[in-house]
Amino acid sequence: TLLQLRRKREALTAAQEAHRLDPEDEHTLLVLAEAQLANRKTRLAQETATRLRDLYPHSASTWEMLGYVALESGQTRDAEHHYRE
């Protein structure tokens, strides 16, 4: 992927375009949140992860992303809570 190739800006642009085309797709939202984090857009990543939770509350990937965003934001207690969900 573009993130694995360390092409962070391109990854974010591609994820934003995919989100524009299908704004409620779980995989697209996961990739978007990851790309936002890679580009230090933590607040946007939190908003995307919250949207994931609203759309896919029973998905393990959703809770993993919420934990990852919280951890990257320095919110270790929140991260632990999300990882336990």
Side-chain angles (χ1 to χ4, degrees):
T1 67
L2 290 170
L3 285 176
Q4 291 169 328
L5 295 172
R6 300 177 195 250
R7 295 165 61 180
K8 297 175 188 177
R9 280 187 230 126
E10 289 176 78
L12 181 57
T13 300
Q16 290 169 329
E17 178 63 14
H19 180 254
R20 187 185 68 75
L21 295 172
D22 194 354
E24 294 187 355
D25 179 70
E26 182 181 13
H27 181 74
T28 298
L29 289 166
L30 288 165
V31 171
L32 179 60
E34 187 175 2
Q36 289 166 331
L37 279 179
N39 283 275
R40 301 181 190 265
K41 298 191 180 298
T42 308
R43 185 185 53 79
L44 290 175
Q46 180 61 50
E47 291 173 9
T48 301
T50 299
R51 178 90 171 123
L52 266 165
R53 185 197 61 214
D54 293 345
L55 291 170
Y56 302 98
H58 302 294
S59 170
S61 297
T62 291
W63 293 99
E64 182 180 2
M65 182 54 72
L66 280 163
Y68 180 49
V69 170
L71 192 61
E72 290 295 310
S73 301
Q75 301 168 354
T76 54
R77 284 190 184 187
D78 288 344
E80 183 179 346
H81 168 75
H82 294 311
Y83 283 132
R84 289 179 187 229
E85 287 293 319

Coordinates of all heavy atoms in Angstrom, one line a residue:
T1 N 0.8 -1.2 0.0 CA 0.0 0.0 0.0 C 0.9 1.2 0.0 O 2.1 1.2 0.3 CB -0.9 0.0 1.2 OG1 -0.1 0.2 2.4 CG2 -1.8 -1.2 1.3
L2 N 0.2 2.4 -0.3 CA 1.0 3.6 -0.3 C 1.6 3.9 1.1 O 2.7 4.5 1.2 CB 0.1 4.8 -0.7 CG -0.3 4.8 -2.2 CD1 -1.4 5.8 -2.5 CD2 0.9 5.0 -3.1
L3 N 0.8 3.6 2.2 CA 1.4 3.8 3.5 C 2.6 3.0 3.8 O 3.6 3.4 4.4 CB 0.3 3.6 4.6 CG -0.7 4.6 4.7 CD1 -1.8 4.2 5.8 CD2 -0.1 6.0 5.1
Q4 N 2.6 1.7 3.3 CA 3.8 0.9 3.5 C 5.0 1.4 2.7 O 6.1 1.2 3.1 CB 3.4 -0.6 3.1 CG 2.4 -1.2 4.0 CD 1.9 -2.5 3.4 OE1 1.8 -2.7 2.2 NE2 1.6 -3.5 4.3
L5 N 4.7 2.1 1.6 CA 5.8 2.7 0.8 C 6.2 4.1 1.4 O 7.0 4.7 0.7 CB 5.3 2.8 -0.6 CG 5.0 1.5 -1.4 CD1 4.4 1.8 -2.7 CD2 6.3 0.7 -1.5
R6 N 5.6 4.5 2.5 CA 5.8 5.7 3.1 C 5.4 6.9 2.2 O 6.1 8.0 2.3 CB 7.3 5.8 3.6 CG 7.6 4.8 4.6 CD 9.1 4.8 4.9 NE 9.5 3.6 5.6 CZ 9.8 3.5 6.9 NH1 9.7 4.6 7.6 NH2 10.1 2.4 7.4
R7 N 4.4 6.7 1.4 CA 3.9 7.8 0.6 C 2.6 8.3 1.3 O 1.5 8.1 0.8 CB 3.7 7.3 -0.8 CG 5.0 6.9 -1.5 CD 4.9 6.0 -2.7 NE 4.2 6.7 -3.8 CZ 4.0 6.1 -4.9 NH1 4.4 4.9 -5.2 NH2 3.3 6.7 -5.9
K8 N 2.8 8.9 2.4 CA 1.7 9.3 3.3 C 0.7 10.3 2.7 O -0.5 10.1 2.8 CB 2.3 9.9 4.6 CG 3.1 8.9 5.4 CD 3.7 9.6 6.6 CE 4.7 8.7 7.2 NZ 5.4 9.4 8.4
R9 N 1.2 11.3 2.0 CA 0.3 12.3 1.4 C -0.6 11.7 0.3 O -1.8 11.9 0.2 CB 1.0 13.5 0.9 CG 1.4 14.4 2.0 CD 2.0 15.7 1.5 NE 3.3 15.9 2.2 CZ 4.5 16.1 1.7 NH1 4.6 16.1 0.4 NH2 5.5 16.2 2.5
E10 N 0.1 10.8 -0.5 CA -0.7 10.2 -1.6 C -1.7 9.2 -1.0 O -2.8 9.1 -1.5 CB 0.3 9.4 -2.5 CG 1.2 10.3 -3.3 CD 2.2 9.5 -4.1 OE1 1.8 8.9 -5.1 OE2 3.3 9.4 -3.7
A11 N -1.3 8.5 0.1 CA -2.2 7.6 0.7 C -3.5 8.3 1.2 O -4.6 7.9 1.1 CB -1.5 6.8 1.9
L12 N -3.2 9.5 1.8 CA -4.4 10.3 2.4 C -5.3 10.8 1.2 O -6.5 10.6 1.3 CB -3.9 11.4 3.2 CG -4.9 12.3 3.8 CD1 -5.9 11.5 4.7 CD2 -4.3 13.5 4.6
T13 N -4.7 11.2 0.2 CA -5.4 11.7 -1.0 C -6.3 10.6 -1.6 O -7.5 10.7 -1.9 CB -4.5 12.3 -2.1 OG1 -3.8 13.4 -1.5 CG2 -5.3 12.7 -3.3
A14 N -5.7 9.4 -1.7 CA -6.4 8.2 -2.3 C -7.5 7.8 -1.3 O -8.6 7.5 -1.8 CB -5.4 7.1 -2.5
A15 N -7.3 7.8 0.0 CA -8.3 7.4 0.9 C -9.4 8.4 1.0 O -10.6 8.0 1.1 CB -7.7 7.3 2.3
Q16 N -9.1 9.7 0.8 CA -10.2 10.7 0.8 C -11.0 10.5 -0.5 O -12.3 10.7 -0.4 CB -9.5 12.1 0.8 CG -8.9 12.5 2.2 CD -8.1 13.7 2.1 OE1 -7.5 14.0 1.1 NE2 -8.0 14.4 3.2
E17 N -10.4 10.2 -1.6 CA -11.2 10.0 -2.8 C -12.1 8.8 -2.7 O -13.2 8.8 -3.1 CB -10.3 9.9 -4.0 CG -11.0 9.6 -5.3 CD -11.9 10.7 -5.8 OE1 -11.9 11.8 -5.2 OE2 -12.7 10.4 -6.7
A18 N -11.5 7.7 -2.1 CA -12.3 6.5 -1.9 C -13.5 6.8 -1.0 O -14.6 6.3 -1.2 CB -11.5 5.4 -1.3
H19 N -13.3 7.6 0.1 CA -14.3 7.9 1.0 C -15.4 8.8 0.3 O -16.6 8.6 0.6 CB -13.7 8.7 2.2 CG -14.7 9.1 3.2 ND1 -15.1 10.4 3.3 CD2 -15.4 8.4 4.1 CE1 -16.0 10.5 4.3 NE2 -16.2 9.3 4.8
R20 N -15.0 9.7 -0.6 CA -15.9 10.5 -1.3 C -16.9 9.6 -2.1 O -18.1 9.8 -2.2 CB -15.2 11.4 -2.2 CG -16.1 12.4 -2.9 CD -15.4 13.3 -3.9 NE -14.9 12.6 -5.1 CZ -15.7 12.2 -6.1 NH1 -16.9 12.4 -6.1 NH2 -15.1 11.5 -7.1
L21 N -16.3 8.5 -2.7 CA -17.1 7.6 -3.6 C -18.0 6.7 -2.8 O -19.0 6.3 -3.2 CB -16.1 6.8 -4.4 CG -15.3 7.6 -5.5 CD1 -14.3 6.7 -6.1 CD2 -16.2 8.2 -6.5
D22 N -17.5 6.3 -1.6 CA -18.3 5.3 -0.7 C -18.1 5.7 0.7 O -17.3 5.1 1.4 CB -17.9 3.9 -1.0 CG -18.8 2.9 -0.5 OD1 -19.8 3.3 0.2 OD2 -18.6 1.7 -0.7
P23 N -18.8 6.7 1.2 CA -18.5 7.3 2.6 C -18.9 6.4 3.7 O -18.5 6.7 4.9 CB -19.4 8.5 2.6 CG -20.4 8.4 1.6 CD -19.8 7.5 0.5
E24 N -19.6 5.3 3.5 CA -19.9 4.4 4.6 C -19.3 3.0 4.6 O -19.6 2.2 5.4 CB -21.5 4.3 4.7 CG -22.1 5.6 5.1 CD -23.6 5.5 5.3 OE1 -24.2 4.4 5.1 OE2 -24.2 6.5 5.7
D25 N -18.4 2.8 3.7 CA -17.7 1.5 3.6 C -16.7 1.4 4.7 O -15.9 2.3 5.0 CB -16.9 1.5 2.2 CG -16.2 0.1 2.1 OD1 -16.9 -0.9 1.9 OD2 -15.0 0.2 2.2
E26 N -16.8 0.3 5.4 CA -16.0 0.0 6.6 C -14.5 0.0 6.3 O -13.7 0.7 6.9 CB -16.3 -1.3 7.3 CG -15.5 -1.6 8.5 CD -15.9 -2.9 9.2 OE1 -16.5 -3.8 8.5 OE2 -15.4 -3.1 10.3
H27 N -14.1 -0.7 5.3 CA -12.7 -0.7 4.9 C -12.1 0.6 4.5 O -11.0 1.0 4.9 CB -12.4 -1.8 3.8 CG -11.0 -1.9 3.4 ND1 -10.1 -2.5 4.2 CD2 -10.3 -1.4 2.3 CE1 -8.9 -2.4 3.6 NE2 -9.0 -1.8 2.5
T28 N -12.9 1.4 3.8 CA -12.5 2.7 3.4 C -12.3 3.6 4.6 O -11.3 4.4 4.7 CB -13.5 3.3 2.4 OG1 -13.6 2.5 1.2 CG2 -13.2 4.7 2.0
L29 N -13.2 3.5 5.5 CA -13.1 4.3 6.7 C -11.8 3.9 7.6 O -11.2 4.8 8.1 CB -14.3 4.2 7.6 CG -15.6 5.0 7.0 CD1 -16.8 4.5 7.7 CD2 -15.4 6.5 7.1
L30 N -11.6 2.7 7.6 CA -10.4 2.2 8.3 C -9.1 2.7 7.7 O -8.2 3.2 8.4 CB -10.3 0.7 8.4 CG -11.4 0.0 9.3 CD1 -11.5 -1.5 9.0 CD2 -11.0 0.2 10.8
V31 N -9.0 2.6 6.4 CA -7.9 3.1 5.6 C -7.7 4.6 5.8 O -6.7 5.2 6.0 CB -7.9 2.7 4.2 CG1 -6.8 3.4 3.3 CG2 -7.8 1.2 4.0
L32 N -8.9 5.3 5.7 CA -8.9 6.8 5.9 C -8.3 7.2 7.3 O -7.5 8.1 7.4 CB -10.3 7.4 5.7 CG -10.4 8.9 5.8 CD1 -9.5 9.6 4.8 CD2 -11.9 9.3 5.7
A33 N -8.8 6.5 8.3 CA -8.3 6.9 9.7 C -6.8 6.6 9.8 O -6.1 7.4 10.4 CB -9.1 6.1 10.7
E34 N -6.4 5.5 9.2 CA -4.9 5.2 9.3 C -4.1 6.2 8.5 O -3.1 6.6 9.0 CB -4.7 3.8 8.7 CG -3.3 3.3 8.9 CD -3.1 1.8 8.5 OE1 -4.0 1.2 8.0 OE2 -1.9 1.4 8.6
A35 N -4.6 6.6 7.4 CA -3.9 7.6 6.6 C -3.9 9.0 7.3 O -2.9 9.7 7.3 CB -4.5 7.7 5.2
Q36 N -5.0 9.3 7.9 CA -5.1 10.5 8.7 C -4.0 10.5 9.8 O -3.3 11.5 10.0 CB -6.5 10.8 9.2 CG -7.4 11.1 8.1 CD -8.9 11.0 8.5 OE1 -9.3 10.2 9.4 NE2 -9.7 11.8 7.9
L37 N -3.9 9.4 10.5 CA -2.9 9.3 11.6 C -1.5 9.4 11.1 O -0.7 10.1 11.6 CB -3.1 8.0 12.3 CG -4.2 7.9 13.4 CD1 -4.2 6.5 14.0 CD2 -4.0 8.9 14.5
A38 N -1.3 8.8 9.9 CA 0.1 8.8 9.3 C 0.5 10.2 9.0 O 1.7 10.6 8.9 CB 0.1 7.9 8.1
N39 N -0.5 11.0 8.7 CA -0.3 12.4 8.3 C -0.5 13.4 9.5 O -0.6 14.6 9.3 CB -1.2 12.8 7.1 CG -0.7 12.3 5.8 OD1 0.2 12.9 5.2 ND2 -1.2 11.1 5.4
R40 N -0.5 12.8 10.7 CA -0.6 13.6 11.9 C -1.9 14.4 12.0 O -1.9 15.6 12.5 CB 0.6 14.5 12.1 CG 1.9 13.7 12.2 CD 3.1 14.6 12.4 NE 4.3 13.9 12.2 CZ 5.0 13.4 13.2 NH1 4.6 13.4 14.4 NH2 6.2 12.8 12.9
K41 N -3.0 13.9 11.4 CA -4.3 14.6 11.5 C -5.1 13.8 12.5 O -6.1 13.1 12.1 CB -4.9 14.6 10.1 CG -4.1 15.4 9.1 CD -4.8 15.7 7.8 CE -3.9 16.5 6.9 NZ -3.5 17.8 7.3
T42 N -4.7 13.9 13.7 CA -5.3 13.1 14.8 C -6.7 13.4 15.0 O -7.5 12.5 15.2 CB -4.5 13.3 16.1 OG1 -3.1 13.1 15.8 CG2 -4.9 12.3 17.2
R43 N -7.1 14.6 15.0 CA -8.5 15.0 15.3 C -9.4 14.4 14.2 O -10.5 13.8 14.5 CB -8.7 16.5 15.3 CG -10.1 17.0 15.7 CD -10.3 18.5 15.6 NE -9.9 19.1 14.4 CZ -10.6 19.0 13.3 NH1 -11.8 18.4 13.3 NH2 -10.2 19.6 12.2
L44 N -9.0 14.5 13.0 CA -9.7 13.9 11.9 C -9.8 12.4 12.0 O -10.9 11.8 11.7 CB -9.1 14.3 10.5 CG -9.3 15.7 10.1 CD1 -8.5 16.0 8.8 CD2 -10.7 16.1 9.9
A45 N -8.7 11.8 12.4 CA -8.7 10.3 12.6 C -9.7 9.9 13.7 O -10.4 8.9 13.6 CB -7.3 9.8 12.9
Q46 N -9.8 10.7 14.7 CA -10.7 10.5 15.8 C -12.1 10.6 15.3 O -13.0 9.7 15.6 CB -10.5 11.4 17.0 CG -11.5 11.2 18.1 CD -11.3 9.8 18.8 OE1 -10.2 9.4 19.1 NE2 -12.4 9.1 18.9
E47 N -12.4 11.6 14.5 CA -13.8 11.7 13.9 C -14.1 10.5 13.0 O -15.2 10.0 13.0 CB -13.8 13.0 13.1 CG -13.8 14.3 14.0 CD -13.7 15.5 13.2 OE1 -13.8 15.5 11.9 OE2 -13.5 16.6 13.8
T48 N -13.1 10.1 12.2 CA -13.4 8.9 11.3 C -13.6 7.7 12.2 O -14.5 6.9 11.9 CB -12.2 8.8 10.4 OG1 -12.0 10.0 9.6 CG2 -12.4 7.6 9.4
A49 N -12.8 7.5 13.2 CA -13.0 6.3 14.1 C -14.3 6.3 14.8 O -15.0 5.3 14.9 CB -11.8 6.2 15.1
T50 N -14.8 7.5 15.2 CA -16.1 7.6 15.8 C -17.2 7.3 14.8 O -18.2 6.6 15.1 CB -16.3 9.0 16.4 OG1 -15.3 9.3 17.4 CG2 -17.6 9.2 17.0
R51 N -17.0 7.7 13.6 CA -18.0 7.4 12.5 C -18.0 5.9 12.3 O -19.1 5.3 12.2 CB -17.6 8.1 11.2 CG -18.5 7.8 10.1 CD -19.6 8.8 10.0 NE -20.4 8.5 8.7 CZ -21.6 8.3 8.7 NH1 -22.3 8.2 9.8 NH2 -22.2 8.1 7.6
L52 N -16.8 5.2 12.3 CA -16.8 3.8 12.3 C -17.6 3.1 13.4 O -18.4 2.2 13.1 CB -15.3 3.3 12.4 CG -14.6 3.1 11.1 CD1 -13.1 3.0 11.4 CD2 -15.0 1.9 10.3
R53 N -17.4 3.6 14.6 CA -18.1 3.1 15.7 C -19.6 3.2 15.5 O -20.4 2.3 15.9 CB -17.7 3.7 17.0 CG -18.3 3.1 18.3 CD -18.2 4.0 19.5 NE -19.0 5.2 19.2 CZ -18.6 6.4 19.7 NH1 -17.6 6.5 20.4 NH2 -19.3 7.5 19.4
D54 N -20.1 4.4 15.0 CA -21.5 4.6 14.8 C -22.1 3.6 13.8 O -23.2 3.2 13.9 CB -21.7 6.0 14.4 CG -21.4 7.0 15.5 OD1 -21.3 6.6 16.7 OD2 -21.3 8.2 15.2
L55 N -21.3 3.4 12.7 CA -21.8 2.5 11.6 C -21.5 1.0 11.9 O -22.3 0.2 11.4 CB -21.1 2.9 10.3 CG -21.4 4.3 9.7 CD1 -20.5 4.6 8.6 CD2 -22.9 4.3 9.2
Y56 N -20.4 0.7 12.5 CA -20.1 -0.7 12.7 C -19.7 -1.0 14.1 O -18.6 -1.4 14.5 CB -18.9 -1.0 11.8 CG -19.2 -0.8 10.3 CD1 -18.7 0.4 9.7 CD2 -19.9 -1.7 9.6 CE1 -19.0 0.7 8.4 CE2 -20.2 -1.4 8.2 CZ -19.8 -0.3 7.7 OH -20.1 0.0 6.3
P57 N -20.7 -0.9 15.1 CA -20.4 -1.0 16.5 C -20.0 -2.4 16.9 O -19.4 -2.6 18.0 CB -21.7 -0.6 17.2 CG -22.7 -0.9 16.2 CD -22.1 -0.6 14.8
H58 N -20.3 -3.4 16.1 CA -19.9 -4.8 16.4 C -18.7 -5.3 15.7 O -18.3 -6.5 15.8 CB -21.1 -5.7 16.1 CG -22.4 -5.3 16.8 ND1 -22.5 -5.4 18.2 CD2 -23.5 -4.8 16.4 CE1 -23.7 -4.9 18.6 NE2 -24.3 -4.5 17.5
S59 N -18.0 -4.4 15.0 CA -16.8 -4.8 14.3 C -15.5 -4.7 15.2 O -15.3 -3.7 15.7 CB -16.6 -3.9 13.1 OG -15.4 -4.1 12.5
A60 N -14.8 -5.8 15.2 CA -13.5 -5.8 16.0 C -12.6 -4.8 15.4 O -11.8 -4.1 16.1 CB -12.9 -7.2 16.0
S61 N -12.6 -4.6 14.1 CA -11.7 -3.6 13.4 C -12.0 -2.2 13.9 O -11.1 -1.4 14.0 CB -11.8 -3.8 11.9 OG -11.4 -5.0 11.5
T62 N -13.3 -1.9 14.1 CA -13.7 -0.6 14.6 C -13.0 -0.3 15.9 O -12.4 0.7 16.1 CB -15.2 -0.5 14.7 OG1 -15.8 -0.6 13.3 CG2 -15.6 0.7 15.4
W63 N -13.2 -1.3 16.8 CA -12.6 -1.0 18.2 C -11.1 -1.0 18.2 O -10.5 -0.3 19.0 CB -13.2 -2.1 19.1 CG -14.7 -1.8 19.3 CD1 -15.7 -2.5 18.7 CD2 -15.3 -0.8 20.0 NE1 -16.9 -1.9 19.0 CE2 -16.7 -0.9 19.8 CE3 -14.8 0.2 20.9 CZ2 -17.6 -0.1 20.5 CZ3 -15.7 1.1 21.5 CH2 -17.1 0.9 21.3
E64 N -10.5 -1.8 17.3 CA -9.1 -1.8 17.2 C -8.6 -0.4 16.7 O -7.6 0.2 17.2 CB -8.6 -2.8 16.2 CG -7.1 -2.9 16.1 CD -6.6 -4.0 15.2 OE1 -7.4 -4.7 14.6 OE2 -5.4 -4.1 15.0
M65 N -9.3 0.2 15.7 CA -8.9 1.5 15.2 C -9.2 2.6 16.3 O -8.3 3.5 16.5 CB -9.7 1.8 14.0 CG -9.3 3.2 13.4 SD -7.6 3.4 13.0 CE -7.4 2.3 11.6
L66 N -10.3 2.5 17.0 CA -10.5 3.4 18.1 C -9.4 3.4 19.1 O -8.9 4.4 19.6 CB -11.9 3.2 18.8 CG -13.1 3.7 18.0 CD1 -14.3 3.0 18.6 CD2 -13.2 5.2 18.2
G67 N -8.9 2.2 19.4 CA -7.8 2.0 20.4 C -6.5 2.6 19.8 O -5.8 3.3 20.5
Y68 N -6.3 2.3 18.6 CA -5.1 2.8 17.9 C -5.0 4.4 17.9 O -4.0 5.0 18.2 CB -5.0 2.2 16.5 CG -3.8 2.6 15.7 CD1 -2.5 2.5 16.2 CD2 -3.9 3.1 14.4 CE1 -1.4 2.9 15.5 CE2 -2.8 3.4 13.6 CZ -1.5 3.3 14.2 OH -0.5 3.7 13.4
V69 N -6.2 5.0 17.5 CA -6.2 6.4 17.5 C -6.0 7.0 18.9 O -5.3 8.0 19.1 CB -7.6 6.9 16.9 CG1 -7.8 8.4 17.1 CG2 -7.7 6.5 15.4
A70 N -6.7 6.4 19.9 CA -6.5 6.9 21.3 C -5.1 6.7 21.7 O -4.5 7.6 22.3 CB -7.4 6.1 22.2
L71 N -4.4 5.6 21.4 CA -3.0 5.4 21.8 C -2.1 6.4 21.1 O -1.3 7.0 21.8 CB -2.6 4.0 21.4 CG -1.3 3.5 21.9 CD1 -1.3 3.5 23.5 CD2 -1.0 2.1 21.4
E72 N -2.3 6.7 19.8 CA -1.5 7.7 19.1 C -1.8 9.1 19.6 O -0.9 9.9 19.4 CB -1.8 7.6 17.6 CG -1.3 6.3 16.9 CD 0.2 6.2 17.0 OE1 0.9 7.2 16.6 OE2 0.7 5.2 17.4
S73 N -2.9 9.3 20.2 CA -3.3 10.6 20.8 C -2.8 10.7 22.2 O -3.1 11.8 22.9 CB -4.8 10.8 20.8 OG -5.3 10.7 19.4
G74 N -2.2 9.7 22.8 CA -1.7 9.7 24.1 C -2.8 9.5 25.2 O -2.6 9.7 26.4
Q75 N -3.9 8.9 24.8 CA -5.0 8.6 25.7 C -5.0 7.1 26.0 O -5.8 6.3 25.5 CB -6.3 9.0 25.0 CG -6.4 10.5 24.7 CD -7.5 10.9 23.8 OE1 -8.3 10.0 23.4 NE2 -7.7 12.1 23.6
T76 N -4.0 6.7 26.8 CA -3.8 5.3 27.1 C -5.0 4.6 27.8 O -5.3 3.5 27.5 CB -2.5 5.1 27.9 OG1 -2.6 5.9 29.1 CG2 -1.3 5.5 27.1
R77 N -5.7 5.3 28.7 CA -6.9 4.7 29.3 C -8.0 4.4 28.3 O -8.6 3.4 28.3 CB -7.4 5.5 30.4 CG -6.5 5.4 31.7 CD -7.2 6.1 32.8 NE -6.3 6.1 33.9 CZ -6.6 6.4 35.1 NH1 -7.8 6.9 35.4 NH2 -5.8 6.4 36.1
D78 N -8.2 5.4 27.4 CA -9.2 5.2 26.4 C -8.8 4.1 25.4 O -9.6 3.3 25.0 CB -9.4 6.5 25.6 CG -10.2 7.6 26.4 OD1 -10.8 7.3 27.4 OD2 -10.1 8.7 25.9
A79 N -7.5 4.0 25.1 CA -7.0 3.0 24.2 C -7.3 1.6 24.8 O -7.8 0.7 24.2 CB -5.5 3.2 23.9
E80 N -7.0 1.5 26.1 CA -7.2 0.2 26.8 C -8.6 -0.2 26.8 O -9.0 -1.3 26.5 CB -6.7 0.3 28.2 CG -6.8 -1.0 29.0 CD -6.2 -0.9 30.4 OE1 -5.6 0.1 30.7 OE2 -6.5 -1.8 31.2
H81 N -9.5 0.8 27.0 CA -11.0 0.5 27.0 C -11.4 0.0 25.6 O -12.1 -1.0 25.5 CB -11.7 1.8 27.4 CG -13.2 1.7 27.1 ND1 -14.1 1.0 27.9 CD2 -13.9 2.2 26.1 CE1 -15.3 1.1 27.4 NE2 -15.2 1.8 26.3
H82 N -10.9 0.7 24.6 CA -11.3 0.3 23.2 C -10.8 -1.0 22.8 O -11.5 -1.8 22.2 CB -10.9 1.4 22.2 CG -11.5 2.7 22.4 ND1 -12.9 2.9 22.5 CD2 -11.0 4.0 22.4 CE1 -13.2 4.2 22.6 NE2 -12.0 4.8 22.6
Y83 N -9.6 -1.3 23.2 CA -9.0 -2.6 22.9 C -9.7 -3.8 23.6 O -9.8 -4.9 23.1 CB -7.5 -2.7 23.2 CG -6.6 -2.0 22.2 CD1 -5.7 -1.1 22.6 CD2 -6.8 -2.2 20.8 CE1 -4.9 -0.4 21.7 CE2 -6.0 -1.5 19.9 CZ -5.0 -0.6 20.4 OH -4.2 0.0 19.5
R84 N -10.3 -3.5 24.8 CA -11.1 -4.5 25.5 C -12.5 -4.7 24.9 O -13.0 -5.8 25.1 CB -11.2 -4.1 27.0 CG -9.9 -4.3 27.7 CD -10.0 -3.9 29.1 NE -8.7 -3.8 29.7 CZ -8.4 -4.4 30.9 NH1 -9.3 -5.0 31.5 NH2 -7.2 -4.4 31.3
E85 N -13.0 -3.7 24.2 CA -14.3 -3.9 23.6 C -14.2 -4.9 22.5 O -14.8 -5.7 22.2 CB -14.8 -2.6 23.0 CG -15.2 -1.6 24.1 CD -16.4 -1.9 24.8 OE1 -17.4 -2.4 24.3 OE2 -16.4 -1.7 26.1

